[in-house]
Amino acid sequence: MIEMPELPEVETIVRGLRDVLCGKTIAGVEIREEMIIGYPEDPEEFREGLLERKITAMGRRGKYLILELNSNLQLIIHLRMTGKLLLKMREEEIESHTHVILRFKEGVDLRFNNVRKFGRMYLIDRDSPEKAGGFAGLGPEPLSSEFSPEVFRKILKRSGRAIKALLLDQKKIAGLGNIYADEALYRASIHPARPADELSREEMDKLYQSIDQVLKAGIKFSGTSFSDYVNALGEAGSFQERLMVYGRDGEKCPRCSCQINKDRIASRSTHYCPECQELP
DNA sequence: CGAGGTACCTGACAGC
DNA sequence: TGCTGTCAGGTACCTC
């Protein structure tokens, strides 16, 4: 199981759940913590809306999971900081911090588990994405063809904000979080506090490539797990072993051997090498 | 529009 | 041991 998911972790979760859940019908919904339900406002409406619905497909957009249901409905899930989706047999003991349980006719449970209760579930009509939090306002999907180097440069040129803040802004680019933003900036040798519109064209293109590479590598290694969890398929993510700067403050930079810094930039803890990622 | 702060909530960990 | 303060991978909302 994976905690605190960014794009690669959510993608890993979707891949692990898709084959198991597609075609299954929701026979019961247990809401143990109402604040998790983001839409409809009435949790009972959420519960009744899900009953007898079949999951027809699963996908992802940014850090949101999408469960396609019949009757033109979508169940949109955002795990925020500590959310997990656990696939369990109905008779298995319910873990603490389990807030919503979808029970399938086939005897399987999908359990939404979330220590900090920041995560949300939205049941919406497919044509009303604006009801699912920031879902409708997401920027381009970084691993899709719509996200070209040209599109990326335009986004950066329109803003004088710190590049790190821009990378974390889901309205600009969907799916990057604090880990992968730091890792992408390190790979591109760009200081996180640099104003976005002051990067050279070469730096912008290098950062574009770094984002692509770090996200694909994250997916390849099934995401980053900081605890000894496994995903729905029983696989543990291992990308934490390949992080270059995140969580490695005080250690030596793999490139130049000077000490990795941890500072507060764009109101977030930010890891970088002061030597390779110099301010001009 | 953006920056910066607060809020949401709980647990882990460091320091005393 | 236990108290206190700080921190955590995310986002929404507020004010300036």
Side-chain angles (χ1 to χ4, degrees), chain A residues 179-251:
Chain A
I179 296 178
Y180 292 90
D182 282 0
E183 293 295 314
L185 288 165
Y186 173 77
R187 288 183 183 222
S189 302
I190 294 168
H191 192 288
R194 297 265 309 277
D197 57 358
E198 290 178 16
L199 300 194
S200 68
R201 177 180 169 135
E202 290 68 33
E203 287 173 322
M204 291 184 183
D205 288 348
K206 193 168 182 195
L207 184 54
Y208 174 88
Q209 293 297 335
S210 299
I211 291 169
D212 187 76
Q213 287 168 10
V214 79
L215 291 177
K216 284 178 176 165
I219 292 169
K220 179 177 174 187
F221 293 99
S222 303
T224 304
S225 322
F226 281 160
S227 313
D228 55 345
Y229 293 113
V230 294
N231 69 9
L233 292 179
E235 302 161 341
S238 64
F239 196 62
Q240 64 279 6
E241 297 161 19
R242 289 159 203 280
L243 298 174
M244 306 282 191
V245 285
Y246 189 88
R248 299 200 183 279
D249 39 304
E251 296 181 27

Side-chain angles (χ1 to χ4, degrees), chain A residues 3-267:
Chain A
E3 284 187 77
M4 299 169 261
E6 303 180 30
L7 186 154
E9 289 73 35
V10 177
E11 181 64 28
T12 300
I13 291 167
V14 169
R15 291 182 184 186
L17 292 175
R18 181 180 282 133
D19 288 348
V20 183
L21 294 183
C22 282
K24 287 193 167 50
T25 302
I26 299 169
V29 179
E30 186 180 335
I31 299 169
R32 316 169 106 224
E33 174 54 79
E34 295 191 343
M35 70 180 290
I36 298 300
I37 312 305
Y39 190 87
E41 279 185 32
D42 178 6
E44 185 57 19
E45 204 178 316
F46 175 90
R47 199 184 71 78
E48 287 175 7
L50 281 174
L51 286 176
E52 299 306 317
R53 299 283 178 237
K54 184 189 276 191
I55 296 181
T56 58
M58 272 192 78
R60 175 194 62 73
R61 176 81 171 91
K63 304 175 196 171
Y64 291 80
L65 286 103
I66 307 167
L67 282 75
E68 304 284 351
L69 308 171
N70 57 343
S71 305
N72 205 38
L73 293 172
Q74 288 177 324
L75 177 61
I76 309 284
I77 302 176
H78 199 303
L79 299 165
R80 294 275 184 100
M81 294 278 280
T82 56
K84 310 177 202 177
L85 288 171
L86 303 172
L87 204 53
K88 297 281 178 178
M89 299 307 292
R90 184 176 301 160
E91 58 273 15
E92 287 183 85
E93 188 181 344
I94 293 170
E95 308 72 15
S96 51
H97 310 295
T98 296
H99 304 313
V100 179
I101 305 175
L102 304 189
R103 303 190 189 279
F104 294 92
K105 280 204 161 70
E106 294 80 2
V108 175
D109 282 359
L110 183 67
R111 301 178 184 170
F112 182 94
N113 184 287
N114 193 187
V115 169
R116 291 174 73 182
K117 300 184 181 174
F118 289 169
R120 292 291 180 269
M121 303 176 87
Y122 310 88
L123 177 62
I124 61 167
D125 281 321
R126 210 181 308 281
D127 45 333
S128 304
E130 73 282 357
K131 294 185 171 155
F135 182 66
L138 289 173
E141 193 61 36
L143 297 182
S144 76
S145 54
E146 63 170 341
F147 188 64
S148 63
E150 294 72 33
V151 166
F152 185 58
R153 288 199 300 269
K154 270 186 195 164
I155 293 168
L156 299 199
K157 282 181 195 157
R158 278 199 311 250
S159 172
R161 300 164 75 186
I163 182 62
K164 162 113 183 203
L166 211 65
L167 294 183
L168 291 177
D169 186 342
Q170 304 298 299
K171 295 188 286 298
K172 301 293 188 293
I173 305 157
L176 285 171
N178 211 29
I179 296 178
Y180 292 90
D182 282 0
E183 293 295 314
L185 288 165
Y186 173 77
R187 288 183 183 222
S189 302
I190 294 168
H191 192 288
R194 297 265 309 277
D197 57 358
E198 290 178 16
L199 300 194
S200 68
R201 177 180 169 135
E202 290 68 33
E203 287 173 322
M204 291 184 183
D205 288 348
K206 193 168 182 195
L207 184 54
Y208 174 88
Q209 293 297 335
S210 299
I211 291 169
D212 187 76
Q213 287 168 10
V214 79
L215 291 177
K216 284 178 176 165
I219 292 169
K220 179 177 174 187
F221 293 99
S222 303
T224 304
S225 322
F226 281 160
S227 313
D228 55 345
Y229 293 113
V230 294
N231 69 9
L233 292 179
E235 302 161 341
S238 64
F239 196 62
Q240 64 279 6
E241 297 161 19
R242 289 159 203 280
L243 298 174
M244 306 282 191
V245 285
Y246 189 88
R248 299 200 183 279
D249 39 304
E251 296 181 27
K252 280 185 177 175
C253 163
R255 277 193 303 241
C256 75
S257 297
C258 87
Q259 249 192 16
I260 293 166
N261 267 4
K262 178 178 171 182
D263 288 341
R264 205 126 194 115
I265 297 177
S267 311

